[in-house]
Amino acid sequence: MGKKKVKSIIYLRVFSVFLATYLLLMISFSVYFISEERKAAATELQIDTFYFNNSLEEVFQEYLDEEKELINLSKVKNELLQETYLLNNMDYEVAIFTSDYKLIFNTNKYWQCQYTEYTDGNKYYTGYGYLNPEDWFSEEKIKEIEGYLYVEPQPKKIGDLAHYTVDLKGFWIDDDMIIPKKITVNPMYADGFDEEGYVSSSSGIHTDKVVYESNYENTRNLPYVESGGIVTHSRNNPNNEKRNELRQMVVEESNLKDAVDEYNDPENLSKRNLSQRIELLTYRYYLAMPYQTGVRIDDGQAISDFWTVVGRDINIGERCLPSLVFVWISCFFTFNIAAFILAKQTFKTYKQQEKLENHRKEMTNALAHDLKTPLSIIAGYAENLQANVHTEKREHYANHIQTNVTRMDQIIHNMLELTRLETDSLKVNFEDVALTDICETIIERYKPIWEEKEITVSLDGEAVIKADQSLMLRVIDNFFVNAIDNTPTGGKIIIRIVEDALEVYNSGSFIPENIIEEIWLPFKKGDAARSLSKGTGLGLAISGRILQIHGFSYGARNSERGVIFWFKFNNTSR
């Protein structure tokens, strides 16, 4: 199988596993995150309802008689309109019931209006009321006015349209309802922006070019007010089908009775489900809270003077989306990077294993080759001795048998030494080592051999390094023996110690460039044909491993008239 195909398979498998893991984890996390967000939304609902219930208590205290009955209900509704402003702004719908489930107040789809009810010196007191547009305007005009109320211009610079003011130019008050005389619309333009880019101030000229009239005739002597305004709780039009369903849910008496039944069983009260799913990730929340947040149990029935019911539709998906998108994207890149690193490392490991396997096969074949030759020679000489052939050559046969046994012993010894060097158990004794002394020892050791071949040997330079003396002796010995073996009769061997390197040059033939990196492998030599007279093929492999243990870089290169073997040291002390 080709390396490219293997690489593709490895990358495909790793990325597939990571993708499956990523999807499983992200889906699980998203489900958990959405579940926790639902709980957070329920807690938020309870907290908001609690605060509203407290403000409700403050309003009711002023209008409750001794029998806990509300007096001046019109005034109560007016104040409740003000209290529910914040809840409406957060898309809540509210209903308030008496103890016998009579509805006394609820938010609705009417337009909420505000005006100056009266003044006391420099103090202005605001009044509130509802305007039912369907009583005074056509469906077409209602859509036009709501278009102005809920428009989202999104201004970018000063002078851009910011919003419209929808004003009441004269109106009558009928209990808590507003009857408009005229509605005017005027554009407001951005004057300034805050640090976050939102409009901080706006202004405009009230030209009253856009006017809507109700044509109401005041035949009931209703109180008249000169001016007021229509309040928008948000830029989203609350008058839609789902919002109307929510309003209907909070005013349903049967829903409240079911909720009150839960108060009859305090143990299950904390386990109640406050929401139901109405769309994929949109949930409708419903909560009934007793007046003063406490109930009386009478004949097993929970009783409260008043009940506050709050409902809200919450799109959990919209709340979770920014966080989930960030987590999904960041984790996607993280998983891909991790998958790429793992796939790359896996492929690298595969190549190393393949290389080691090929190396093992080569070593096995080479070892078999190197042992086969001396074994064949030994077998031949042994047969001659056994057959008593050429008895005069017995000593010759015995010497050759001994020579080949020694050669096989050397091969096995070197193999064991290489194995020992490739393990982590080898202890290296670092000490000051004089390279010049080692080189002189080795030159003297092989003097008879290089003199016999009429080779000129020279040594230049000196250095003292931190290393294991016995191991460095083995390295330079192998370099020098290799140089002797590959130097022709009458050639040169030059050992040079320069700055941070030791070089062993020998004249003679070059090493082919395509195998110059492979000569450090076991049983690899510079010539293609293997020789019976040139070592075991393990000397350079052993030297390379020793230099790796010391952290020294090393190599071989062809020079103008020969070959240079070198290694660099970086811890000299001259």
Side-chain angles (χ1 to χ4, degrees):
M1 189 180 295
K3 286 188 177 180
K4 287 187 177 179
K5 189 173 182 180
V6 171
K7 184 177 182 180
S8 299
I9 292 174
I10 289 174
Y11 273 71
L12 180 62
R13 287 180 178 177
V14 171
F15 273 86
S16 297
V17 171
F18 267 77
L19 179 61
T21 305
Y22 165 77
L23 290 175
L24 179 62
L25 290 176
M26 288 299 98
I27 291 173
S28 300
F29 172 77
S30 298
V31 171
Y32 170 77
F33 190 75
I34 290 171
S35 175
E36 291 300 306
E37 192 63 32
R38 283 185 60 193
K39 295 177 183 177
T43 302
E44 182 181 308
L45 179 80
Q46 290 173 306
I47 292 172
D48 291 338
T49 306
F50 174 78
Y51 282 118
F52 174 74
N53 219 27
N54 286 343
S55 62
L56 184 69
E57 183 180 347
E58 295 176 5
V59 172
F60 280 7
Q61 288 295 336
E62 188 176 346
Y63 299 99
L64 284 175
D65 59 17
E66 293 180 356
E67 296 180 357
K68 298 292 184 179
E69 296 289 338
L70 287 172
I71 56 176
N72 199 347
L73 190 57
S74 176
K75 190 68 175 178
V76 171
K77 289 182 178 180
N78 191 285
E79 292 200 26
L80 289 176
L81 277 173
Q82 184 176 357
E83 295 297 333
T84 56
Y85 176 82
L86 181 61
L87 290 179
N88 278 333
N89 198 37
M90 295 188 294
D91 296 327
Y92 283 99
E93 293 296 336
V94 182
I96 299 173
F97 294 83
T98 61
S99 59
D100 56 355
Y101 308 119
K102 178 182 177 182
L103 179 66
I104 58 174
F105 173 83
N106 66 287
T107 53
N108 49 56
K109 66 178 181 178
Y110 302 156
W111 297 342
Q112 188 172 330
C113 306
Q114 65 180 27
Y115 57 93
T116 301
E117 189 173 13
Y118 65 92
T119 60
D120 183 7
N122 294 327
K123 292 184 178 181
Y124 293 82
Y125 293 87
T126 302
Y128 293 87
Y130 278 128
L131 190 160
N132 183 2
E134 295 177 358
D135 290 343
W136 313 109
F137 304 106
S138 65
E139 184 177 347
E140 181 181 355
K141 288 185 178 181
I142 292 173
K143 288 182 178 180
E144 288 180 10
I145 297 172
E146 288 184 340
Y148 291 118
L149 282 171
Y150 305 113
V151 68
E152 295 183 77
Q154 296 182 349
K156 301 297 182 182
K157 62 182 183 302
I158 293 175
D160 286 352
L161 178 65
H163 62 93
Y164 290 94
T165 61
V166 181
D167 301 317
L168 294 167
K169 292 296 182 180
F171 60 92
W172 295 271
I173 300 175
D174 184 10
D175 200 5
D176 60 335
M177 299 300 295
I178 300 294
I179 302 174
K181 181 179 181 182
K182 284 195 305 185
I183 292 178
T184 62
V185 179
N186 293 285
M188 295 288 110
Y189 301 95
D191 284 341
F193 294 85
D194 59 20
E195 294 179 354
E196 297 180 356
Y198 295 107
V199 176
S200 59
S201 61
S202 61
S203 63
I205 301 174
H206 288 258
T207 59
D208 296 344
K209 290 183 178 180
V210 181
V211 178
Y212 299 90
E213 297 187 10
S214 66
N215 298 320
Y216 172 75
E217 295 291 337
N218 185 16
T219 58
R220 294 184 292 160
N221 293 321
L222 297 174
Y224 180 77
V225 180
E226 291 289 339
S227 63
I230 299 176
V231 181
T232 55
H233 305 298
S234 67
R235 290 303 177 191
N236 298 317
N237 191 340
N239 295 328
N240 54 62
E241 182 179 352
K242 284 189 171 49
R243 192 61 177 267
N244 289 333
E245 290 175 359
L246 180 64
R247 294 187 183 107
Q248 185 61 35
M249 181 182 73
V250 299
V251 299
E252 283 286 344
E253 181 181 330
S254 58
N255 292 335
L256 175 59
K257 289 181 177 179
D258 292 339
V260 171
D261 288 340
E262 294 177 346
Y263 281 89
N264 298 329
D265 187 359
E267 292 184 1
N268 293 326
L269 186 62
S270 59
K271 302 177 183 179
R272 58 183 168 172
N273 184 15
L274 300 179
S275 65
Q276 60 180 3
R277 186 165 62 183
I278 57 174
E279 288 183 354
L280 180 61
L281 289 174
T282 300
Y283 290 83
R284 178 161 290 166
Y285 287 80
Y286 180 96
L287 176 64
M289 185 171 289
Y291 180 63
Q292 296 178 327
T293 64
V295 296
R296 304 185 304 274
I297 304 298
D298 188 4
D299 293 333
Q301 181 66 33
I303 298 175
S304 175
D305 296 327
F306 301 96
W307 291 94
T308 300
V309 176
V310 174
R312 186 184 185 188
D313 289 343
I314 300 179
N315 189 328
I316 301 297
E318 286 184 358
R319 292 170 63 132
C320 296
L321 186 62
S323 298
L324 288 178
V325 167
F326 173 78
V327 173
W328 275 72
I329 292 176
S330 59
C331 288
F332 177 79
F333 283 108
T334 302
F335 270 71
N336 272 278
I337 292 171
F340 175 77
I341 293 172
L342 181 61
K344 184 178 180 181
Q345 187 61 40
T346 303
F347 182 63
K348 183 179 178 181
T349 303
Y350 165 80
K351 289 195 298 182
Q352 289 175 342
Q353 290 177 341
E354 185 182 43
K355 185 178 179 180
L356 287 172
E357 180 63 19
N358 293 334
H359 177 50
R360 184 190 64 79
K361 290 179 180 178
E362 289 179 1
M363 284 187 64
T364 303
N365 293 333
L367 181 61
H369 182 277
D370 276 10
L371 291 177
K372 180 181 178 182
T373 301
L375 284 172
S376 299
I377 294 172
I378 291 170
Y381 288 146
E383 287 176 4
N384 288 339
L385 289 172
Q386 189 176 21
N388 206 19
V389 178
H390 300 296
T391 57
E392 72 279 4
K393 293 185 177 182
R394 282 178 177 274
E395 185 176 351
H396 172 76
Y397 294 157
N399 288 337
H400 275 276
I401 289 174
Q402 184 62 42
T403 300
N404 283 279
V405 169
T406 302
R407 176 176 171 77
M408 288 190 296
D409 180 69
Q410 185 181 6
I411 291 173
I412 294 171
H413 175 76
N414 287 342
M415 282 292 295
L416 291 174
E417 184 176 5
L418 181 61
T419 302
R420 183 174 64 92
L421 289 170
E422 289 179 345
T423 63
D424 296 330
S425 59
L426 179 67
K427 293 183 179 180
V428 181
N429 181 27
F430 284 95
E431 58 183 325
D432 289 337
V433 177
L435 293 180
T436 305
D437 293 345
I438 292 179
C439 292
E440 288 175 348
T441 301
I442 293 171
I443 291 171
E444 187 64 27
R445 178 187 297 172
Y446 294 101
K447 186 174 181 179
I449 299 175
W450 55 263
E451 281 185 343
E452 183 181 350
K453 293 183 69 174
E454 299 178 357
I455 297 172
T456 302
V457 178
S458 63
L459 171 63
D460 181 34
E462 60 181 19
V464 177
I465 67 173
K466 287 289 185 182
D468 187 300
Q469 182 159 336
S470 63
L471 294 179
M472 293 310 301
L473 181 66
R474 185 63 188 273
V475 170
I476 299 173
D477 186 287
N478 285 335
F479 278 17
F480 192 76
V481 170
N482 180 73
I484 293 175
D485 287 344
N486 290 282
T487 302
T489 302
K492 291 182 181 180
I493 296 177
I494 301 172
I495 302 176
R496 297 174 60 202
I497 304 172
V498 291
E499 296 182 357
D500 61 347
L502 182 144
E503 298 178 349
V504 178
Y505 162 82
N506 71 270
S507 60
S509 59
F510 299 148
I511 300 174
E513 293 293 337
N514 62 325
I515 64 170
I516 200 166
E517 297 295 331
E518 297 179 2
I519 61 174
W520 303 97
L521 299 175
F523 300 108
K524 291 287 185 178
K525 296 186 179 182
D527 54 345
R530 300 184 59 83
S531 171
L532 297 177
S533 60
K534 293 184 179 180
T536 63
L538 294 170
L540 291 178
I542 292 172
S543 298
R545 182 57 187 152
I546 291 173
L547 292 170
Q548 288 174 9
I549 292 171
H550 282 77
F552 296 164
S553 58
Y554 62 93
R557 66 177 185 273
N558 292 314
S559 65
E560 185 177 351
R561 294 184 180 180
V563 179
I564 295 174
F565 283 78
W566 58 269
F567 68 86
K568 287 187 176 182
F569 43 85
N570 51 15
N571 55 355
T572 60
S573 55
R574 296 183 182 276

